[in-house]
Amino acid sequence: MKRSRAFHKRREEDVFLSIKKELYSKLGTRIEVTTDNNFIEGMLITVTSEYIGLEVNDGYGSGDVIYVRLREINQVWDQSFV
């Protein structure tokens, strides 16, 4: 059975909505995120429809914020369960 582009687009949106809901529940917790090129560890401070914001600590107390596009994320780990 051949599926339409609209079906696949809707399915993709459902997956991202599910991911966003899970990330919203993790606001304020420390997480680890992997992309194709990076491994980022920090406190999840914001979640939008396009990206997440992580406050990272480089050891010098700078507290820089890094924004990662949701579509670039391969995996997320919640450090509180480790």
Side-chain angles (χ1 to χ4, degrees):
M1 180 174 168
K2 203 171 195 180
R3 300 201 186 229
S4 68
R5 285 184 196 216
F7 171 82
H8 290 290
K9 180 74 172 164
R10 189 170 58 248
R11 179 70 182 130
E12 182 178 298
E13 290 170 2
D14 290 345
V15 168
F16 279 109
L17 181 60
S18 174
I19 292 168
K20 285 186 275 189
K21 284 181 181 179
E22 181 65 25
L23 287 169
Y24 277 124
S25 73
K26 303 294 182 196
L27 280 171
T29 61
R30 297 197 63 75
I31 62 171
E32 298 173 353
V33 175
T34 60
T35 66
D36 286 344
N37 303 325
N38 294 309
F39 173 81
I40 306 160
E41 180 181 343
M43 183 176 298
L44 182 62
I45 59 171
T46 188
V47 178
T48 71
S49 60
E50 295 292 322
Y51 64 88
I52 63 170
L54 295 169
E55 183 178 326
V56 295
N57 185 349
D58 60 4
Y60 297 102
S62 63
D64 291 333
V65 177
I66 294 178
Y67 297 96
V68 182
R69 287 183 49 117
L70 287 173
R71 295 190 182 279
E72 295 175 1
I73 295 172
N74 293 332
Q75 197 158 10
V76 175
W77 289 278
D78 182 351
Q79 291 183 337
S80 65
F81 291 115
V82 175

